Short mmCIF file of all heavy atoms in Angstrom, two decimals:
data_model
loop_
_atom_site.label_atom_id
_atom_site.label_comp_id
_atom_site.label_asym_id
_atom_site.label_seq_id
_atom_site.Cartn_x
_atom_site.Cartn_y
_atom_site.Cartn_z
N ARG A 327 -97.42 60.74 -14.62
CA ARG A 327 -97.43 60.04 -13.40
C ARG A 327 -97.04 58.64 -13.42
O ARG A 327 -96.50 58.01 -12.51
CB ARG A 327 -98.86 60.12 -12.86
CG ARG A 327 -99.43 61.48 -12.49
CD ARG A 327 -100.74 61.41 -11.78
NE ARG A 327 -100.51 61.23 -10.39
CZ ARG A 327 -100.84 62.16 -9.43
NH1 ARG A 327 -101.27 63.27 -9.81
NH2 ARG A 327 -100.64 61.87 -8.19
N ARG A 338 -86.40 56.18 -6.18
CA ARG A 338 -85.56 57.29 -6.83
C ARG A 338 -85.96 58.67 -6.26
O ARG A 338 -87.08 58.82 -5.82
CB ARG A 338 -85.66 57.26 -8.42
CG ARG A 338 -85.04 56.05 -9.02
CD ARG A 338 -83.54 55.94 -8.78
NE ARG A 338 -82.94 54.83 -9.52
CZ ARG A 338 -82.51 53.76 -8.96
NH1 ARG A 338 -82.67 53.43 -7.64
NH2 ARG A 338 -82.00 52.81 -9.66
N SER A 341 -89.29 64.67 -7.91
CA SER A 341 -90.49 65.60 -7.62
C SER A 341 -91.27 65.71 -8.81
O SER A 341 -90.87 65.50 -9.95
CB SER A 341 -89.72 66.96 -7.32
OG SER A 341 -89.17 66.96 -5.98
N TYR A 342 -92.61 65.87 -8.52
CA TYR A 342 -93.61 65.90 -9.55
C TYR A 342 -94.52 67.10 -9.29
O TYR A 342 -94.99 67.33 -8.24
CB TYR A 342 -94.31 64.66 -9.59
CG TYR A 342 -95.54 64.69 -10.52
CD1 TYR A 342 -95.43 64.86 -11.87
CD2 TYR A 342 -96.91 64.78 -10.01
CE1 TYR A 342 -96.46 64.93 -12.71
CE2 TYR A 342 -97.95 64.79 -10.85
CZ TYR A 342 -97.79 64.86 -12.19
OH TYR A 342 -98.88 65.02 -13.12
N GLU A 344 -97.91 69.16 -11.06
CA GLU A 344 -99.01 69.11 -12.04
C GLU A 344 -99.35 70.63 -12.15
O GLU A 344 -100.11 71.15 -11.23
CB GLU A 344 -100.19 68.32 -11.58
CG GLU A 344 -101.00 67.75 -12.62
CD GLU A 344 -101.77 66.57 -12.16
OE1 GLU A 344 -101.26 65.52 -11.85
OE2 GLU A 344 -103.10 66.71 -12.09
N HIS A 360 -94.98 80.41 -11.71
CA HIS A 360 -95.06 79.17 -10.86
C HIS A 360 -94.17 78.09 -11.64
O HIS A 360 -93.28 77.43 -10.99
CB HIS A 360 -96.44 78.64 -10.63
CG HIS A 360 -96.54 77.42 -9.86
ND1 HIS A 360 -95.93 77.20 -8.55
CD2 HIS A 360 -96.97 76.11 -10.11
CE1 HIS A 360 -96.06 75.99 -8.17
NE2 HIS A 360 -96.73 75.30 -8.99
N ASN A 371 -80.91 73.77 -6.66
CA ASN A 371 -80.36 72.82 -5.73
C ASN A 371 -79.18 72.07 -6.28
O ASN A 371 -78.54 71.26 -5.56
CB ASN A 371 -81.46 71.82 -5.30
CG ASN A 371 -82.48 72.47 -4.40
OD1 ASN A 371 -82.25 73.25 -3.60
ND2 ASN A 371 -83.78 72.11 -4.74
N TRP B 46 -89.66 61.64 0.98
CA TRP B 46 -90.52 62.11 -0.16
C TRP B 46 -91.70 62.80 0.58
O TRP B 46 -92.17 62.30 1.64
CB TRP B 46 -91.00 60.98 -0.94
CG TRP B 46 -89.93 60.32 -1.80
CD1 TRP B 46 -89.65 60.63 -3.14
CD2 TRP B 46 -89.05 59.23 -1.42
NE1 TRP B 46 -88.56 59.81 -3.55
CE2 TRP B 46 -88.20 59.03 -2.51
CE3 TRP B 46 -88.78 58.66 -0.23
CZ2 TRP B 46 -87.19 58.04 -2.43
CZ3 TRP B 46 -87.84 57.70 -0.13
CH2 TRP B 46 -87.06 57.40 -1.32
N ASP B 52 -99.91 74.29 -4.89
CA ASP B 52 -98.73 74.85 -5.69
C ASP B 52 -97.74 75.45 -4.76
O ASP B 52 -96.51 75.20 -4.99
CB ASP B 52 -99.24 75.81 -6.65
CG ASP B 52 -100.04 75.29 -7.81
OD1 ASP B 52 -100.02 74.02 -7.92
OD2 ASP B 52 -100.65 76.06 -8.54
N MET B 59 -89.66 72.16 -2.99
CA MET B 59 -88.58 71.98 -3.98
C MET B 59 -87.49 72.95 -3.65
O MET B 59 -86.34 72.61 -3.79
CB MET B 59 -89.14 72.13 -5.38
CG MET B 59 -89.83 70.94 -5.91
SD MET B 59 -90.33 70.95 -7.60
CE MET B 59 -88.85 71.12 -8.48
N VAL B 65 -90.80 66.09 -3.76
CA VAL B 65 -92.24 66.32 -3.44
C VAL B 65 -93.04 65.93 -4.64
O VAL B 65 -92.75 66.21 -5.80
CB VAL B 65 -92.51 67.84 -3.00
CG1 VAL B 65 -92.01 68.72 -4.06
CG2 VAL B 65 -93.98 67.95 -2.63
N GLN B 67 -96.82 66.33 -6.33
CA GLN B 67 -98.09 67.01 -6.18
C GLN B 67 -99.15 66.05 -6.47
O GLN B 67 -99.23 65.45 -7.59
CB GLN B 67 -98.08 68.14 -7.23
CG GLN B 67 -99.27 69.09 -7.02
CD GLN B 67 -99.08 70.42 -7.73
OE1 GLN B 67 -98.36 70.56 -8.74
NE2 GLN B 67 -99.75 71.45 -7.15
N SER B 68 -99.96 65.84 -5.45
CA SER B 68 -101.09 64.87 -5.52
C SER B 68 -102.20 65.11 -4.53
O SER B 68 -101.95 65.87 -3.46
CB SER B 68 -100.44 63.53 -5.25
OG SER B 68 -101.39 62.46 -5.62
N ASP B 76 -99.91 56.36 -6.85
CA ASP B 76 -98.61 56.39 -7.32
C ASP B 76 -97.42 55.63 -6.52
O ASP B 76 -96.37 55.52 -6.96
CB ASP B 76 -98.11 57.93 -7.44
CG ASP B 76 -98.94 58.70 -8.47
OD1 ASP B 76 -99.48 58.10 -9.34
OD2 ASP B 76 -99.02 59.84 -8.28
#
Side-chain angles (χ1 to χ4, degrees):
Chain A
R327 296 186 84 111
R338 293 299 187 255
S341 285
Y342 169 69
E344 207 162 293
H360 178 60
N371 289 318
Chain B
W46 291 262
D52 284 352
M59 280 184 64
V65 57
Q67 188 162 28
S68 189
D76 294 333

